[in-house]
Amino acid sequence: MFNTDFLDIPALDSAHGTVSLPGSKSISNRVLLLAALSQGTTTIHDLLDSDDTQVMLAALKQLGCRITPDAVTPGQAIEVTGIGGQLPAGTAATLFLGNAGTAMRPLTAALSVLGGQFEMTGVARMYERPIGDLVDALRQLGCQIDYLKDEGFPPLKIGQPDFSQLSRESIKVRGDVSSQFLTSLLMALPLLAKGRDITIEVVGELISKPYIHITLELLARFGITVKNDNWQRFVIPAGSSYQSPGNIHVEADASSASYFIALGAIATDTAEQQSIKILGVGKDSIQGDIRFIEAAQAMGAQVESGPNWLQVSRGSWPLKAIDLDCNHIPDAAMTLGVMALYAHGTTTLRNIASWRVKETDRIAAMATELRKLGATVEEGADYIRITPPTEKSTWKAASIHTYDDHRVAMCFSLAAFNPAKLPVRIEDPKCVAKTFPDYFEALFSVCKTDDEAEHEHALAHAQHYERSRIPVICIDGPTASGKGTIAAEVAKALGYGLLDSGALYRITGLAASRAGLALDDSNEETIAEMAMEMPVRFDAQQRVWLGDEDISLAIRSEAAGMNASRVSALPAVRSALVNLQLSFQQLPGLVADGRDMGTVIFPHAPLKVYLWASAQCRAERRHKQLISKGISANISTLLADLEARDARDMNRSTAPLKPAEDSLQLDSSEMTIDQVVAQVLSWWQERQPFGRA
């Protein structure tokens, strides 16, 4: 997950490949609560690991459910042992539910019926999301619920219910604000249906019927068969009792599939027989948002499907504008708003009033951000009308504010395919953790720039090629100038990949010395062949791996540094490592540190920094670093070694150490790490079309 303040997505050109989707949030949290209310242990497969499911799991643990393992692990099932429809007497807790409506509303209903003393809390946005209609319905039963702040909104205080006056009349709830109110009652009221039927009557039009369909399907899996009378009356039969189904699988999220369905319609090349294959959900899904396929097809997408997969490619181009009632796909419809940018004509999305009370006011948010890109947008109480930029020249590079809303972040990432080839900035990209923590990684895994395709051709023919669309920041400098530390911090701040080119030479030196090779020109070709085959990788924790071995410490010794300097002087070795270094230039961008990143490897990088400090200063820093690690060191010896290494690096025949002509030189002798990082980031921001962050 990109845990940065913003994520800059370069202009993208095409997409092709396979994506595996995470589990559905709507199904995951419903299944967790139903398992918790049931008798017995439920084994849940493919549960979504996200912010919303994490707060639900934490709440269920507070209520006494046994959950193993303690955290969601990819590929591993989770077991929930339920409370059998009854909490221990005197149960009390304060539950923090973040901004998870799929946790706040159903738990409020269930706990109000079960009884106890509870406070239901969350983030500030949760306190702006209405819950009054659900509270009113529960109070009809005799539930005790008080508002702790504003009337009609969380936070809430729940007390012991009084069902002594429970009537046989139907429980009324509004259906035109959020389907989660009805879902919450449907999951809570089987706990009361001991000796008689309980009827829920919907007042007004029921929005988001597909989400109620999900609820009814899952209730049936847990032993509750609800009679659905034309979506207006729902009857929970007498004697209802939750029973674990034993095992249950969570479908992949159909709403998340919408971004990749749209991607296939926008970015695949039919001439190259490209497509996007989506694993984890098919047309037979119980989720209503699967009908997004129909809307995408109406706009021009070509879609094939199987039991648990979809395959999408471009059909009509440009896409066709549509006028659509989106009541049946309220979440996925947001993706249509961005697809409209690539359509011929004006697209109108209707019956979307529920957008106003989601994680943010989504109608207002979509209108504001689409206008930033150059679209003409009209918004109403329950509709949005979108006309794309009229010409390539009227597209704008935009910094998209995401409002802590995962769906805003994900759908606007598709704007990077704009015909003007402009980058798009996504602010607060980590908000996607609510439902799809690895969304951007999944997106980048199937997307390419035109440059990348040409680069692959160049590599196949041993040609040097620069992928100019994928940004690179080069940080060069002499030994111990701090460039590695600075590069790592800059990469972390931007969410970019990291290339420690010096480590590649250290790894080569280590591998050659382990093989018993003298590090001189007598073994130059042998070492070069070894370098080309090294299975090297850098992970997110900035560890360095050679195959399955973590060699991070082994390559940081003084001896390893000297060996690196020796092998770097061998021209054949340097040539062997060029393609390896070029391969690190991947989406969304790269920070490369070394001695020739800006002069030899990435000569067209948009920002080149030459970082230096006096030899005395560098020796003192290295001495302090070694002493902090418990390694004895002598400043005079370190100074002499640095000066000797500087002379060798500056005078070598191949790629001598020197600043690139267009580099920005930075003397860090009197600067802290934070100050240097801030300066590099400031220089980078000056080169972006979005202005300063």
Side-chain angles (χ1 to χ4, degrees), residues 195-278:
R196 66 177 182 84
D197 294 350
I198 292 182
T199 301
I200 306 170
E201 183 177 337
V202 177
V203 178
E205 181 188 5
L206 176 61
I207 63 172
S208 305
K209 293 183 183 71
Y211 285 102
I212 302 303
H213 174 70
I214 293 174
T215 303
L216 297 177
E217 289 280 333
L218 294 175
L219 283 167
R221 292 290 304 276
F222 283 85
I224 309 294
T225 303
V226 178
K227 180 183 177 182
N228 176 5
D229 184 3
N230 199 32
W231 303 102
Q232 290 301 122
R233 288 169 58 87
F234 297 85
V235 181
I236 300 168
S240 293
S241 177
Y242 281 118
Q243 296 296 323
S244 169
N247 283 273
I248 191 166
H249 289 259
V250 175
E251 280 187 12
D253 186 26
S255 301
S256 295
S258 71
Y259 313 115
F260 294 97
I261 295 170
L263 182 65
I266 293 168
T268 56
D269 187 337
T270 52
E272 297 291 331
Q273 295 185 322
Q274 293 178 341
S275 65
I276 297 295
K277 189 164 189 178
I278 303 164

Coordinates of all heavy atoms in Angstrom, one line a residue, residues 195-278:
G195 N -40.9 -16.5 19.2 CA -42.2 -17.1 19.2 C -43.1 -16.6 18.2 O -44.3 -17.0 18.1
R196 N -42.7 -15.6 17.4 CA -43.6 -15.1 16.4 C -42.8 -14.5 15.2 O -41.6 -14.2 15.3 CB -44.5 -14.0 17.0 CG -43.7 -12.8 17.5 CD -44.7 -11.7 18.0 NE -44.0 -10.5 18.5 CZ -43.7 -9.5 17.7 NH1 -44.0 -9.6 16.4 NH2 -43.2 -8.4 18.1
D197 N -43.5 -14.3 14.1 CA -42.9 -13.6 12.9 C -42.6 -12.1 13.3 O -43.4 -11.5 14.1 CB -43.9 -13.6 11.7 CG -44.1 -15.0 11.2 OD1 -43.4 -15.9 11.6 OD2 -45.0 -15.2 10.3
I198 N -41.6 -11.6 12.7 CA -41.4 -10.1 12.8 C -41.3 -9.6 11.4 O -40.7 -10.1 10.5 CB -40.0 -9.8 13.5 CG1 -40.1 -10.3 15.0 CG2 -39.7 -8.4 13.4 CD1 -38.9 -10.0 15.8
T199 N -42.1 -8.5 11.2 CA -42.2 -7.9 9.8 C -41.6 -6.5 9.8 O -41.8 -5.7 10.7 CB -43.7 -7.8 9.4 OG1 -44.3 -9.1 9.4 CG2 -43.9 -7.2 8.1
I200 N -40.8 -6.3 8.8 CA -40.2 -5.0 8.5 C -40.9 -4.4 7.3 O -40.9 -5.0 6.3 CB -38.7 -5.1 8.3 CG1 -38.0 -5.8 9.5 CG2 -38.1 -3.7 8.1 CD1 -36.6 -6.2 9.2
E201 N -41.3 -3.2 7.4 CA -42.0 -2.5 6.3 C -41.1 -1.3 5.9 O -40.8 -0.5 6.7 CB -43.4 -2.0 6.7 CG -44.2 -1.3 5.6 CD -45.6 -0.9 6.0 OE1 -46.1 -1.5 7.0 OE2 -46.1 0.0 5.4
V202 N -40.9 -1.2 4.6 CA -40.0 -0.1 4.1 C -40.9 1.1 3.7 O -41.9 0.9 3.0 CB -39.3 -0.6 2.8 CG1 -38.5 0.6 2.2 CG2 -38.3 -1.8 3.2
V203 N -40.6 2.2 4.2 CA -41.3 3.4 3.9 C -40.6 4.2 2.8 O -39.4 4.5 2.9 CB -41.4 4.3 5.2 CG1 -42.1 5.6 4.8 CG2 -42.1 3.6 6.3
G204 N -41.3 4.4 1.7 CA -40.7 5.1 0.6 C -40.0 4.1 -0.3 O -40.0 2.9 -0.1
E205 N -39.3 4.6 -1.3 CA -38.6 3.7 -2.3 C -37.4 3.1 -1.6 O -36.6 3.8 -1.0 CB -38.2 4.5 -3.5 CG -37.5 3.6 -4.6 CD -36.9 4.5 -5.7 OE1 -37.0 5.7 -5.7 OE2 -36.4 3.8 -6.7
L206 N -37.1 1.8 -1.8 CA -35.9 1.2 -1.3 C -34.8 1.4 -2.3 O -34.9 0.9 -3.5 CB -36.2 -0.3 -1.1 CG -35.0 -1.1 -0.6 CD1 -34.4 -0.6 0.7 CD2 -35.3 -2.6 -0.5
I207 N -33.8 2.1 -1.9 CA -32.6 2.3 -2.8 C -31.6 1.1 -2.6 O -31.7 0.4 -1.6 CB -31.9 3.6 -2.5 CG1 -31.3 3.6 -1.1 CG2 -32.8 4.8 -2.7 CD1 -30.4 4.8 -0.8
S208 N -30.8 0.9 -3.6 CA -29.7 -0.1 -3.5 C -30.2 -1.5 -3.2 O -29.7 -2.2 -2.3 CB -28.7 0.4 -2.4 OG -28.2 1.7 -2.7
K209 N -31.3 -1.9 -3.9 CA -31.8 -3.2 -3.7 C -30.8 -4.3 -3.8 O -30.9 -5.3 -3.0 CB -33.0 -3.5 -4.6 CG -34.2 -2.6 -4.4 CD -35.3 -3.0 -5.4 CE -36.5 -2.1 -5.3 NZ -36.3 -0.7 -5.8
P210 N -29.8 -4.2 -4.7 CA -28.8 -5.3 -4.8 C -28.1 -5.6 -3.4 O -27.7 -6.7 -3.2 CB -27.9 -4.8 -5.8 CG -28.7 -3.9 -6.7 CD -29.6 -3.2 -5.7
Y211 N -27.9 -4.6 -2.6 CA -27.2 -4.8 -1.3 C -28.2 -5.5 -0.4 O -27.7 -6.3 0.5 CB -26.8 -3.5 -0.7 CG -25.5 -3.0 -1.5 CD1 -25.6 -1.9 -2.4 CD2 -24.3 -3.5 -1.2 CE1 -24.5 -1.4 -3.0 CE2 -23.2 -3.1 -1.9 CZ -23.3 -2.0 -2.8 OH -22.2 -1.6 -3.5
I212 N -29.5 -5.3 -0.5 CA -30.4 -6.1 0.3 C -30.4 -7.6 -0.2 O -30.5 -8.5 0.6 CB -31.8 -5.5 0.2 CG1 -31.8 -4.0 0.7 CG2 -32.8 -6.3 1.1 CD1 -31.2 -3.9 2.1
H213 N -30.3 -7.7 -1.5 CA -30.2 -9.1 -2.0 C -29.0 -9.8 -1.4 O -29.1 -11.0 -1.0 CB -30.0 -9.0 -3.5 CG -29.8 -10.4 -4.2 ND1 -30.8 -11.3 -4.2 CD2 -28.7 -10.9 -4.8 CE1 -30.3 -12.4 -4.8 NE2 -29.0 -12.2 -5.2
I214 N -27.8 -9.2 -1.3 CA -26.7 -9.8 -0.7 C -27.0 -10.2 0.8 O -26.7 -11.3 1.2 CB -25.5 -8.8 -0.6 CG1 -25.0 -8.5 -2.0 CG2 -24.3 -9.4 0.2 CD1 -23.9 -7.4 -2.1
T215 N -27.7 -9.3 1.5 CA -28.0 -9.6 2.9 C -28.9 -10.8 3.0 O -28.7 -11.7 3.8 CB -28.7 -8.4 3.5 OG1 -27.8 -7.3 3.4 CG2 -29.0 -8.7 5.0
L216 N -29.9 -10.9 2.1 CA -30.9 -12.0 2.2 C -30.2 -13.3 1.8 O -30.5 -14.4 2.4 CB -32.0 -11.8 1.2 CG -32.9 -10.5 1.5 CD1 -34.0 -10.3 0.5 CD2 -33.6 -10.7 2.9
E217 N -29.3 -13.3 0.8 CA -28.6 -14.5 0.4 C -27.7 -15.0 1.6 O -27.6 -16.2 1.8 CB -27.7 -14.2 -0.8 CG -28.4 -14.0 -2.1 CD -28.9 -15.3 -2.7 OE1 -28.2 -16.3 -2.5 OE2 -29.9 -15.3 -3.4
L218 N -27.0 -14.1 2.3 CA -26.2 -14.5 3.4 C -27.0 -15.0 4.6 O -26.5 -15.9 5.3 CB -25.2 -13.4 3.7 CG -24.2 -13.0 2.6 CD1 -23.4 -11.8 3.0 CD2 -23.3 -14.2 2.3
L219 N -28.1 -14.3 4.9 CA -28.9 -14.8 6.0 C -29.4 -16.2 5.7 O -29.4 -17.0 6.7 CB -30.2 -13.9 6.1 CG -30.0 -12.5 6.7 CD1 -31.2 -11.6 6.5 CD2 -29.7 -12.7 8.2
A220 N -29.7 -16.5 4.5 CA -30.1 -17.9 4.2 C -29.0 -18.9 4.4 O -29.2 -20.0 4.9 CB -30.5 -18.0 2.7
R221 N -27.7 -18.5 4.2 CA -26.6 -19.3 4.4 C -26.4 -19.6 5.9 O -25.9 -20.7 6.3 CB -25.3 -18.7 3.9 CG -25.2 -18.6 2.4 CD -25.0 -20.0 1.7 NE -23.9 -20.7 2.3 CZ -22.6 -20.6 1.8 NH1 -22.4 -19.7 0.8 NH2 -21.6 -21.3 2.3
F222 N -26.9 -18.7 6.8 CA -26.8 -18.9 8.2 C -28.1 -19.3 8.8 O -28.3 -19.1 10.0 CB -26.3 -17.6 8.9 CG -24.8 -17.3 8.7 CD1 -24.3 -16.7 7.5 CD2 -23.9 -17.7 9.7 CE1 -23.0 -16.5 7.3 CE2 -22.6 -17.5 9.5 CZ -22.1 -16.9 8.3
G223 N -29.0 -19.9 8.0 CA -30.2 -20.5 8.6 C -31.4 -19.6 8.7 O -32.4 -20.1 9.3
I224 N -31.4 -18.4 8.2 CA -32.5 -17.5 8.3 C -33.1 -17.2 6.9 O -32.5 -16.6 6.0 CB -32.1 -16.1 8.9 CG1 -31.3 -16.3 10.2 CG2 -33.4 -15.3 9.1 CD1 -32.1 -16.9 11.3
T225 N -34.3 -17.7 6.7 CA -35.0 -17.5 5.4 C -36.0 -16.4 5.5 O -37.1 -16.6 6.2 CB -35.7 -18.8 4.9 OG1 -34.7 -19.9 4.8 CG2 -36.3 -18.6 3.5
V226 N -35.8 -15.3 4.9 CA -36.7 -14.1 5.0 C -37.6 -14.1 3.8 O -37.1 -14.2 2.7 CB -35.8 -12.8 5.1 CG1 -36.7 -11.6 5.2 CG2 -34.9 -12.9 6.4
K227 N -38.9 -13.8 4.0 CA -39.8 -13.6 3.0 C -39.7 -12.2 2.5 O -39.9 -11.3 3.2 CB -41.2 -14.0 3.4 CG -42.3 -13.8 2.3 CD -43.7 -14.1 2.8 CE -44.7 -13.8 1.7 NZ -46.1 -14.0 2.2
N228 N -39.5 -12.0 1.2 CA -39.4 -10.7 0.5 C -40.6 -10.5 -0.3 O -40.9 -11.1 -1.3 CB -38.1 -10.7 -0.4 CG -38.0 -9.4 -1.2 OD1 -38.8 -8.5 -1.0 ND2 -37.0 -9.4 -2.0
D229 N -41.4 -9.5 0.2 CA -42.7 -9.1 -0.5 C -42.5 -7.9 -1.3 O -42.7 -6.8 -0.8 CB -43.8 -8.9 0.6 CG -45.2 -8.7 -0.1 OD1 -45.2 -8.7 -1.3 OD2 -46.1 -8.4 0.7
N230 N -42.0 -8.1 -2.5 CA -41.8 -7.0 -3.5 C -41.0 -5.8 -3.0 O -41.2 -4.7 -3.3 CB -43.2 -6.4 -3.9 CG -43.1 -5.6 -5.2 OD1 -42.3 -5.9 -6.1 ND2 -44.0 -4.6 -5.3
W231 N -40.0 -6.2 -2.2 CA -39.0 -5.2 -1.6 C -39.6 -4.1 -0.7 O -39.0 -3.1 -0.4 CB -38.3 -4.5 -2.8 CG -37.5 -5.4 -3.7 CD1 -37.9 -5.8 -4.9 CD2 -36.3 -6.1 -3.4 NE1 -37.0 -6.7 -5.4 CE2 -36.0 -6.9 -4.5 CE3 -35.4 -6.1 -2.3 CZ2 -34.9 -7.7 -4.6 CZ3 -34.3 -6.9 -2.4 CH2 -34.0 -7.7 -3.5
Q232 N -40.9 -4.3 -0.3 CA -41.6 -3.4 0.6 C -41.8 -4.0 2.0 O -41.8 -3.2 3.0 CB -42.9 -2.9 0.0 CG -42.7 -2.1 -1.2 CD -42.0 -0.8 -1.0 OE1 -40.9 -0.5 -1.6 NE2 -42.4 0.0 0.0
R233 N -42.0 -5.3 2.0 CA -42.2 -6.0 3.3 C -41.3 -7.2 3.4 O -41.2 -7.9 2.4 CB -43.7 -6.4 3.5 CG -44.7 -5.2 3.7 CD -46.1 -5.7 3.6 NE -46.4 -6.8 4.5 CZ -46.8 -6.6 5.8 NH1 -47.0 -5.4 6.2 NH2 -47.1 -7.7 6.5
F234 N -40.7 -7.3 4.6 CA -39.8 -8.5 4.8 C -40.2 -9.2 6.1 O -40.3 -8.5 7.1 CB -38.3 -8.0 4.9 CG -37.8 -7.3 3.6 CD1 -38.1 -6.0 3.4 CD2 -37.1 -8.1 2.7 CE1 -37.6 -5.4 2.2 CE2 -36.7 -7.5 1.5 CZ -36.9 -6.1 1.3
V235 N -40.5 -10.5 6.0 CA -41.0 -11.2 7.1 C -39.9 -12.2 7.6 O -39.5 -13.1 6.8 CB -42.3 -12.0 6.8 CG1 -42.8 -12.7 8.0 CG2 -43.3 -11.0 6.3
I236 N -39.5 -12.0 8.9 CA -38.6 -13.0 9.5 C -39.4 -14.0 10.3 O -40.2 -13.6 11.2 CB -37.6 -12.2 10.5 CG1 -36.8 -11.1 9.7 CG2 -36.7 -13.2 11.2 CD1 -36.1 -10.2 10.6
P237 N -39.3 -15.3 9.9 CA -40.2 -16.3 10.5 C -39.9 -16.6 12.0 O -38.8 -16.5 12.4 CB -40.0 -17.5 9.6 CG -38.6 -17.3 9.1 CD -38.4 -15.9 8.9
A238 N -41.0 -16.9 12.7 CA -40.9 -17.3 14.1 C -39.9 -18.5 14.2 O -39.9 -19.4 13.3 CB -42.3 -17.7 14.6
G239 N -39.2 -18.5 15.3 CA -38.3 -19.6 15.5 C -37.0 -19.5 14.8 O -36.2 -20.5 14.8
S240 N -36.7 -18.4 14.2 CA -35.4 -18.1 13.5 C -34.3 -18.3 14.5 O -34.4 -17.7 15.7 CB -35.4 -16.8 12.9 OG -36.3 -16.7 11.8
S241 N -33.2 -18.9 14.1 CA -32.0 -19.0 15.0 C -30.8 -19.2 14.1 O -30.8 -20.0 13.1 CB -32.2 -20.3 15.8 OG -31.0 -20.5 16.6
Y242 N -29.8 -18.4 14.4 CA -28.6 -18.4 13.6 C -27.8 -19.7 13.8 O -27.6 -20.1 15.0 CB -27.7 -17.2 13.9 CG -28.1 -15.9 13.3 CD1 -28.5 -14.8 14.1 CD2 -28.1 -15.8 11.9 CE1 -28.9 -13.6 13.5 CE2 -28.5 -14.6 11.3 CZ -28.9 -13.5 12.1 OH -29.3 -12.3 11.5
Q243 N -27.4 -20.3 12.7 CA -26.6 -21.5 12.8 C -25.4 -21.3 11.8 O -25.6 -21.0 10.6 CB -27.4 -22.8 12.4 CG -28.5 -23.1 13.4 CD -28.0 -23.4 14.8 OE1 -27.0 -24.1 14.9 NE2 -28.7 -23.0 15.8
S244 N -24.2 -21.6 12.3 CA -23.1 -21.5 11.4 C -23.2 -22.5 10.2 O -23.5 -23.7 10.4 CB -21.8 -21.8 12.2 OG -20.7 -21.9 11.3
P245 N -22.8 -22.0 9.0 CA -22.8 -22.9 7.8 C -21.5 -23.8 7.8 O -21.3 -24.6 7.0 CB -22.8 -22.0 6.6 CG -22.1 -20.7 7.2 CD -22.5 -20.6 8.6
G246 N -20.6 -23.6 8.8 CA -19.4 -24.3 8.9 C -18.3 -23.6 8.1 O -17.4 -23.0 8.6
N247 N -18.4 -23.6 6.8 CA -17.4 -22.9 5.9 C -18.2 -22.0 5.0 O -19.3 -22.3 4.5 CB -16.7 -24.0 5.0 CG -15.6 -24.7 5.8 OD1 -14.5 -24.2 5.9 ND2 -16.0 -25.9 6.3
I248 N -17.6 -20.9 4.7 CA -18.1 -19.9 3.8 C -17.0 -19.1 3.1 O -16.0 -18.8 3.7 CB -19.1 -18.9 4.5 CG1 -19.9 -18.1 3.5 CG2 -18.4 -18.0 5.5 CD1 -21.1 -17.4 4.1
H249 N -17.2 -18.9 1.8 CA -16.2 -18.2 1.0 C -16.7 -16.8 0.7 O -17.9 -16.6 0.4 CB -15.9 -18.9 -0.3 CG -15.1 -20.2 -0.2 ND1 -13.8 -20.3 -0.4 CD2 -15.5 -21.4 0.3 CE1 -13.4 -21.5 -0.2 NE2 -14.4 -22.2 0.2
V250 N -15.8 -15.8 0.8 CA -16.2 -14.4 0.4 C -15.9 -14.2 -1.0 O -14.7 -14.3 -1.4 CB -15.4 -13.5 1.4 CG1 -15.7 -12.0 1.0 CG2 -15.8 -13.7 2.8
E251 N -16.9 -13.8 -1.8 CA -16.6 -13.4 -3.2 C -15.7 -12.2 -3.2 O -15.7 -11.3 -2.3 CB -17.9 -13.0 -3.8 CG -18.8 -14.0 -4.3 CD -20.0 -13.5 -5.1 OE1 -20.0 -12.3 -5.5 OE2 -20.9 -14.2 -5.4
A252 N -15.0 -12.1 -4.3 CA -14.2 -10.8 -4.6 C -15.2 -9.7 -4.8 O -16.4 -9.9 -5.1 CB -13.4 -11.0 -5.8
D253 N -14.7 -8.5 -4.5 CA -15.5 -7.3 -4.5 C -15.9 -6.8 -5.9 O -15.0 -6.4 -6.7 CB -14.8 -6.2 -3.8 CG -15.6 -4.9 -3.6 OD1 -16.8 -5.1 -3.5 OD2 -15.0 -3.8 -3.4
A254 N -17.2 -6.9 -6.2 CA -17.7 -6.5 -7.6 C -17.5 -5.0 -7.8 O -17.3 -4.5 -8.9 CB -19.1 -6.9 -7.7
S255 N -17.6 -4.2 -6.7 CA -17.3 -2.8 -6.9 C -15.9 -2.5 -7.3 O -15.6 -1.7 -8.1 CB -17.7 -2.0 -5.6 OG -19.0 -2.2 -5.2
S256 N -15.0 -3.2 -6.7 CA -13.5 -3.1 -7.0 C -13.3 -3.6 -8.5 O -12.4 -3.1 -9.1 CB -12.7 -3.9 -6.1 OG -12.7 -3.3 -4.8
A257 N -14.1 -4.5 -8.9 CA -13.9 -5.0 -10.3 C -14.2 -3.9 -11.3 O -13.7 -3.9 -12.4 CB -14.9 -6.2 -10.5
S258 N -15.1 -2.9 -10.9 CA -15.5 -1.9 -11.8 C -14.3 -1.1 -12.4 O -14.3 -0.7 -13.6 CB -16.5 -0.9 -11.2 OG -15.8 -0.1 -10.2
Y259 N -13.2 -0.9 -11.6 CA -12.1 -0.1 -12.0 C -11.4 -0.9 -13.1 O -10.9 -0.3 -14.1 CB -11.2 0.2 -10.9 CG -11.9 0.7 -9.7 CD1 -11.9 0.0 -8.5 CD2 -12.7 1.9 -9.7 CE1 -12.7 0.4 -7.4 CE2 -13.4 2.3 -8.6 CZ -13.4 1.6 -7.5 OH -14.1 2.0 -6.4
F260 N -11.3 -2.2 -13.0 CA -10.5 -3.0 -14.0 C -11.4 -3.3 -15.2 O -10.9 -3.5 -16.3 CB -10.0 -4.2 -13.3 CG -8.9 -3.8 -12.3 CD1 -9.3 -3.7 -11.0 CD2 -7.6 -3.5 -12.7 CE1 -8.3 -3.4 -10.0 CE2 -6.7 -3.1 -11.8 CZ -7.0 -3.0 -10.4
I261 N -12.7 -3.3 -15.0 CA -13.6 -3.4 -16.2 C -13.5 -2.1 -17.0 O -13.3 -2.2 -18.3 CB -15.1 -3.6 -15.7 CG1 -15.2 -5.0 -15.1 CG2 -16.0 -3.5 -16.9 CD1 -16.6 -5.2 -14.4
A262 N -13.5 -1.0 -16.3 CA -13.3 0.3 -17.0 C -11.9 0.3 -17.7 O -11.8 0.8 -18.8 CB -13.5 1.4 -16.0
L263 N -10.9 -0.2 -17.0 CA -9.6 -0.2 -17.5 C -9.5 -0.9 -18.8 O -8.9 -0.5 -19.8 CB -8.6 -0.8 -16.5 CG -7.1 -0.9 -16.9 CD1 -6.5 0.5 -17.0 CD2 -6.3 -1.7 -15.9
G264 N -10.2 -2.1 -18.9 CA -10.2 -2.9 -20.1 C -10.9 -2.1 -21.2 O -10.4 -2.2 -22.4
A265 N -11.9 -1.4 -20.9 CA -12.7 -0.6 -21.9 C -11.9 0.6 -22.4 O -12.0 1.0 -23.6 CB -14.0 -0.2 -21.4
I266 N -11.1 1.1 -21.6 CA -10.3 2.4 -21.9 C -9.0 2.1 -22.5 O -8.6 2.7 -23.5 CB -10.2 3.2 -20.6 CG1 -11.5 3.7 -20.1 CG2 -9.2 4.4 -20.9 CD1 -11.4 4.3 -18.7
A267 N -8.2 1.1 -22.0 CA -6.8 1.1 -22.2 C -6.3 -0.1 -23.0 O -5.1 -0.2 -23.2 CB -6.1 1.2 -20.9
T268 N -7.1 -1.1 -23.3 CA -6.6 -2.3 -24.0 C -6.5 -2.0 -25.5 O -7.3 -1.1 -26.0 CB -7.4 -3.5 -23.7 OG1 -8.8 -3.3 -24.1 CG2 -7.3 -3.9 -22.3
D269 N -5.7 -2.7 -26.2 CA -5.5 -2.5 -27.6 C -6.0 -3.8 -28.3 O -5.4 -4.8 -28.2 CB -4.0 -2.3 -27.9 CG -3.8 -1.9 -29.4 OD1 -4.6 -2.2 -30.2 OD2 -2.7 -1.3 -29.7
T270 N -7.1 -3.7 -29.0 CA -7.7 -4.8 -29.7 C -6.8 -5.3 -30.8 O -6.8 -6.5 -31.1 CB -9.1 -4.5 -30.2 OG1 -9.0 -3.3 -31.0 CG2 -10.1 -4.3 -29.1
A271 N -6.1 -4.4 -31.4 CA -5.2 -4.8 -32.5 C -4.1 -5.7 -32.0 O -3.6 -6.6 -32.7 CB -4.6 -3.6 -33.2
E272 N -3.7 -5.5 -30.7 CA -2.7 -6.4 -30.1 C -3.3 -7.5 -29.3 O -2.6 -8.2 -28.6 CB -1.8 -5.5 -29.2 CG -1.0 -4.4 -29.9 CD 0.1 -4.9 -30.7 OE1 0.6 -6.0 -30.4 OE2 0.4 -4.3 -31.8
Q273 N -4.6 -7.7 -29.4 CA -5.3 -8.7 -28.7 C -5.1 -8.6 -27.2 O -4.9 -9.6 -26.5 CB -5.0 -10.1 -29.2 CG -5.4 -10.3 -30.7 CD -5.1 -11.7 -31.1 OE1 -4.1 -12.3 -30.8 NE2 -6.0 -12.3 -31.9
Q274 N -5.1 -7.4 -26.7 CA -4.9 -7.2 -25.3 C -6.3 -7.2 -24.5 O -7.3 -6.9 -25.1 CB -4.3 -5.8 -25.0 CG -2.9 -5.7 -25.5 CD -2.3 -4.3 -25.3 OE1 -3.0 -3.3 -25.1 NE2 -1.0 -4.2 -25.3
S275 N -6.2 -7.6 -23.3 CA -7.4 -7.6 -22.4 C -7.0 -7.6 -21.0 O -5.8 -7.8 -20.6 CB -8.3 -8.9 -22.7 OG -7.6 -10.0 -22.3
I276 N -8.0 -7.3 -20.1 CA -7.8 -7.4 -18.7 C -8.6 -8.6 -18.2 O -9.8 -8.6 -18.4 CB -8.2 -6.1 -18.0 CG1 -7.4 -4.9 -18.4 CG2 -8.2 -6.3 -16.5 CD1 -5.9 -5.0 -18.0
K277 N -7.9 -9.5 -17.5 CA -8.6 -10.7 -16.9 C -8.7 -10.4 -15.4 O -7.7 -10.1 -14.8 CB -7.9 -12.0 -17.2 CG -8.8 -13.2 -16.8 CD -8.3 -14.5 -17.4 CE -9.3 -15.6 -17.1 NZ -8.8 -16.9 -17.7
I278 N -10.0 -10.5 -14.9 CA -10.2 -10.2 -13.5 C -10.7 -11.5 -12.8 O -11.6 -12.2 -13.2 CB -11.4 -9.2 -13.4 CG1 -11.0 -7.9 -14.2 CG2 -11.7 -8.9 -12.0 CD1 -12.2 -7.0 -14.5

